[in-house]
Amino acid sequence: MPAIIQTEGLTRQYGRQTAVDGLSLEINEQEIFGFLGPNGAGKTTTILMLLGLTEPTGGRARVLGVDPAHDPLQIKRQVGYLPENVGFYDDLTGRENLRYMARLNQLPESKAREQIETALATVGLNGEGDKLVGAYSRGMRQRLGIAELLIKEPKLLILDEPTLGLDPDGTNKMLDLIVSLSRDRGITVMLSSHQLEQVQRICSRVGIMIKGRLVALGSVEELAKRKLGDDAGPNLEEIYMRYFKET
Amino acid sequence: MWTICRKELADHFSSIRFLILFCLILMVALVSTYMAATSVREALEGMFKPSHVFLLLFTAPGKFFSLVQFIAFFGPLLGIIMGFDAINRERQHRTLAKLVSQPIFRDAVINGKFLAGVITVSIAVSSLILLLTGMGLLTVGVVPGQEEIGRLVVYLIVSIAYVSFWLGLAILFSILFRSLATSVLASVALWIFFSFFIGFASDLVADALKPVRNSRDTEQIVANRRVADAASLASPAVLYSQATSTILDPYRRTRSNLVLTGMMERLSLERFRNPLPLDQSILVVWPYLTSLLALTLVCFGLSYVIFMRQEIRSV
Ligand SMILES: Nc1ncnc2c1ncn2[C@@H]1O[C@H](COP(=O)(O)OP(=O)(O)OP(=O)(O)O)[C@@H](O)[C@H]1O
Ligand SMILES: [Mg+2]
């Protein structure tokens, strides 16, 4: 089975600074892939290149078999992208925000209505759909962000720090939601995060990026064996710190 | 693109600042046309009706200013108010990254916004003129002839082009500057410069290029004035006012007002002159209209190029 995301030597330079340096990565169907790295490591830049929102300066990428530099629309039709700190039209209600997104995705009106209701129910916002988004709490906004992605029935979700700024309860709800989407609907998920404990809980594989380079790739168990020795328990936090100190 | 255009249209018509400005313009326009209408009616009493009376409604200064002057003055504000936050508002609310990650072409965002602005302007200006025409019909009781209607339509088109220029400029600034305040200030600064200081600036240019060394040498003075006139045409405000005064005042042949004449004086003078026919007027106005459109296109093209190459980040 071909990989959902595949990159070869993907590189992005800003002037003399290399934000992403020769990234080669494969993400397979139905995986939940955790993308880790300190601030400024190049995670967001990588994601932007995968969506065709930024041109790579070197290397190639394929998302769902399509080159994002050539046919970004084809990818955007099937991929739900949650930007870090996603925003909404605060003067519209949650439903109206969703309706706008549905129209931009050219869903027919009746189908859109159906999708909006299912999406709201999935993220647990059906009671709040007619409130102005300006009055939403941070957790509700983040869930509305996921609902916006679901209305186009994506094959792949790319979530940039989906749990940023959520309280423990909100974080848990968000993680459960992601897991259930992956399990019940077979959606592949790529998420970037700084909260290692949560990543360890839900991700089947992780990649650690430091200063634009991918320094580790594999399941938490594999990485633990490689880095911490055979008898150490799988602790992502420790693995991460090792890699961080080495580079 | 149509989806974006539709949303923007809804936004414009429900936005309070647009409604306030439009009501303000409407109110002042009604009052000034009414005053113009009464003075025209008084002037006409017991007189043989000269041609093109109807257009006087728009060009005759009431107590303070004529309607045309007023629209020339406030039209840009309308454009600026609709455009200055087009892109950077989406940036500030962090919706831009989301918008461009939907399956639309990136240029659809800016095309949709510009189109929505132009449609809004067209609706606003046309309804304004229609209203005033109706009011003029009621108060003065002269029916506009076919030619006068033609002139009004041309005036409408030129006005829409003019406001669209400012809309395009404001959108350009909304792309260039991340802060709403900066972009509105930049637009307003340019507006003030082009509307009020252009005469001063073109004098400076003329004095630099063709200085008048001898104040009795008429040739030098004429050359100096020529350069000043040409330089002031760089201002869309000047382009617009020249174009509209030619189209609405059929008795104008030259574009510069050498002698200021009162309305009655003009009316009586006009008996000895023939008005410029509509197609001739259009011919005179044509270069102005195309220059205005070209300026608008330049703004739009610049916005387009910059926006397409700009990095979209949510922060
Ligand atoms: N437009 C730009 N011009 C110059 N440098 C940039 C630009 N955008 C990003 N960079 C640089 O690229 C590097 C990677 O940034 P990126 O946003 O991808 O990091 P990140 O891993 O997402 O960080 P964070 O965890 O803080 O979100 C940073 O060092 C940043 O300074
Ligand atoms: Mg980031």
Side-chain angles (χ1 to χ4, degrees):
Chain A
M1 190 184 305
I4 295 272
I5 295 179
Q6 196 174 17
T7 71
E8 268 176 47
L10 197 64
T11 302
R12 168 77 215 202
Q13 281 176 319
Y14 288 109
R16 273 146 116 229
Q17 187 194 6
T18 310
V20 176
D21 190 359
L23 174 72
S24 296
L25 177 74
E26 273 192 13
I27 298 178
N28 300 310
E29 206 163 341
Q30 309 229 345
E31 258 191 312
I32 300 184
F33 182 82
F35 202 28
L36 311 176
N39 293 128
K43 304 180 296 285
T44 304
T45 311
T46 305
I47 292 174
L48 292 181
M49 285 192 286
L50 291 179
L51 289 161
L53 292 178
T54 295
E55 297 262 314
T57 47
R60 294 190 306 119
R62 290 205 156 257
V63 178
L64 299 164
V66 179
D67 185 345
H70 285 142
D71 193 359
L73 286 206
Q74 180 69 17
I75 292 175
K76 290 172 187 172
R77 232 169 258 139
Q78 306 176 60
V79 179
Y81 165 52
L82 183 74
E84 51 187 330
N85 287 314
V86 66
F88 301 91
Y89 300 101
D90 289 343
D91 47 348
L92 299 181
T93 67
R95 267 202 184 81
E96 284 165 347
N97 266 282
L98 292 180
R99 196 169 306 133
Y100 186 40
M101 286 304 134
R103 283 200 187 124
L104 289 174
N105 280 283
Q106 287 163 343
L107 295 191
E109 205 66 19
S110 62
K111 170 133 200 230
R113 216 168 303 136
E114 211 174 284
Q115 289 288 357
I116 288 171
E117 292 317 311
T118 354
L120 280 175
T122 311
V123 301
L125 279 177
N126 25 9
E128 261 91 16
D130 289 324
K131 272 191 201 160
L132 290 187
V133 175
Y136 275 25
S137 72
R138 172 101 206 179
M140 288 159 72
R141 291 170 78 90
Q142 212 68 4
R143 278 184 282 152
L144 184 65
I146 301 276
E148 276 188 346
L149 312 184
L150 293 180
I151 49 180
K152 64 171 121 176
E153 301 185 298
K155 290 208 180 74
L156 166 67
L157 287 182
I158 298 184
L159 313 175
D160 204 347
E161 316 210 11
T163 53
L164 187 75
L166 298 187
D167 63 15
D169 182 48
T171 307
N172 278 334
K173 275 194 192 142
M174 178 59 78
L175 295 178
D176 291 344
L177 178 63
I178 294 170
V179 170
S180 76
L181 287 176
S182 154
R183 199 182 47 217
D184 305 340
R185 303 194 188 180
I187 299 176
T188 312
V189 181
M190 171 179 186
L191 63 90
S192 84
S193 178
H194 293 294
Q195 286 155 302
L196 303 175
E197 222 174 289
Q198 283 88 24
V199 171
Q200 179 167 3
R201 216 180 85 200
I202 66 166
C203 291
S204 46
R205 277 201 317 151
V206 299
I208 301 178
M209 191 176 218
I210 295 177
K211 290 189 189 144
R213 293 179 157 276
L214 191 70
V215 293
L217 181 68
S219 70
V220 177
E221 284 81 9
E222 280 167 22
L223 293 182
K225 272 212 186 91
R226 207 182 305 158
K227 254 307 88 137
L228 306 173
D230 280 335
D231 20 272
N235 183 335
L236 187 56
E237 191 111 28
E238 241 169 77
I239 301 168
Y240 182 82
M241 286 320 291
R242 281 288 171 90
Y243 277 112
F244 191 59
K245 278 185 194 127
E246 276 173 21
T247 40
Chain B
M1 183 180 93
W2 291 110
T3 310
I4 294 179
C5 180
R6 223 166 96 185
K7 171 174 188 297
E8 292 296 316
L9 272 178
D11 281 357
H12 285 321
F13 281 105
S14 60
S15 95
I16 296 187
R17 54 168 194 243
F18 172 76
L19 291 180
I20 290 180
L21 187 65
F22 185 67
C23 287
L24 182 80
I25 292 180
L26 191 67
M27 224 162 56
V28 177
L30 280 177
V31 171
S32 72
T33 321
Y34 184 76
M35 291 194 306
T38 18
S39 61
V40 168
R41 196 170 48 189
E42 274 164 20
L44 282 181
E45 220 128 278
M47 225 175 94
F48 176 72
K49 270 183 200 157
S51 64
H52 300 102
V53 160
F54 196 75
L55 293 176
L56 274 179
L57 276 184
F58 294 88
T59 50
K63 286 239 160 50
F64 312 110
F65 40 69
S66 74
L67 181 69
V68 169
Q69 286 168 333
F70 175 73
I71 290 186
F73 186 76
F74 269 100
L77 265 192
L78 198 64
I80 290 174
I81 252 190
M82 285 192 306
F84 80 94
D85 62 348
I87 299 296
N88 47 14
R89 184 190 42 197
E90 304 258 6
R91 229 187 256 288
Q92 274 199 342
H93 289 252
R94 301 174 187 281
T95 45
L96 191 59
K98 188 168 78 178
L99 204 55
V100 296
S101 64
Q102 303 306 317
I104 50 169
F105 290 106
R106 199 190 270 199
D107 54 354
V109 175
I110 173 166
N111 292 347
K113 280 177 185 264
F114 186 70
L115 196 66
V118 173
I119 293 177
T120 314
V121 169
S122 311
I123 294 177
V125 180
S126 322
S127 58
L128 187 73
I129 304 260
L130 274 180
L131 252 169
L132 297 180
T133 309
M135 207 191 77
L137 278 177
L138 287 179
T139 45
V140 186
V142 274
V143 182
Q146 225 167 36
E147 199 205 311
E148 283 175 298
I149 292 179
R151 283 175 189 276
L152 276 181
V153 170
V154 177
Y155 170 68
L156 195 67
I157 293 171
V158 179
S159 301
I160 291 172
Y162 181 54
V163 180
S164 299
F165 164 77
W166 289 100
L167 175 74
L169 192 75
I171 290 183
L172 176 61
F173 284 148
S174 87
I175 292 171
L176 284 179
F177 304 117
R178 309 247 154 160
S179 124
L180 298 180
T182 315
S183 97
V184 77
L185 274 179
S187 315
V188 169
L190 264 188
W191 169 57
I192 291 178
F193 174 77
F194 278 145
S195 313
F196 303 111
F197 294 127
I198 187 67
F200 187 61
S202 59
D203 282 351
L204 277 183
V205 171
D207 287 342
L209 291 179
K210 291 257 153 81
V212 183
R213 295 215 179 70
N214 178 353
S215 59
R216 288 216 206 97
D217 185 347
T218 40
E219 228 163 82
Q220 270 185 3
I221 294 180
V222 167
N224 177 285
R225 284 299 90 195
R226 280 230 176 94
V227 175
D229 272 353
S232 71
L233 281 184
S235 156
V238 174
L239 279 176
Y240 175 71
S241 63
Q242 303 263 338
T244 49
S245 48
T246 311
I247 201 73
L248 286 183
D249 186 353
Y251 297 99
R252 250 171 94 110
R253 267 121 202 260
T254 58
R255 287 171 272 103
S256 44
N257 247 339
L258 286 180
V259 203
L260 280 173
T261 44
M263 187 174 61
M264 281 325 294
E265 225 173 313
R266 245 173 34 214
L267 273 180
S268 46
L269 265 178
E270 275 151 14
R271 300 195 172 172
F272 308 104
R273 294 194 293 172
N274 286 324
L276 212 53
L278 175 59
D279 50 347
Q280 292 297 316
S281 294
I282 291 181
L283 225 55
V284 176
V285 170
W286 194 246
Y288 294 95
L289 182 61
T290 42
S291 318
L292 264 181
L293 286 179
L295 281 174
T296 311
L297 280 184
V298 166
C299 276
F300 185 68
L302 267 180
S303 314
Y304 190 90
V305 170
I306 295 173
F307 185 63
M308 293 301 272
R309 313 178 86 231
Q310 218 170 37
E311 180 103 342
I312 306 289
R313 284 199 180 235
S314 45
V315 272

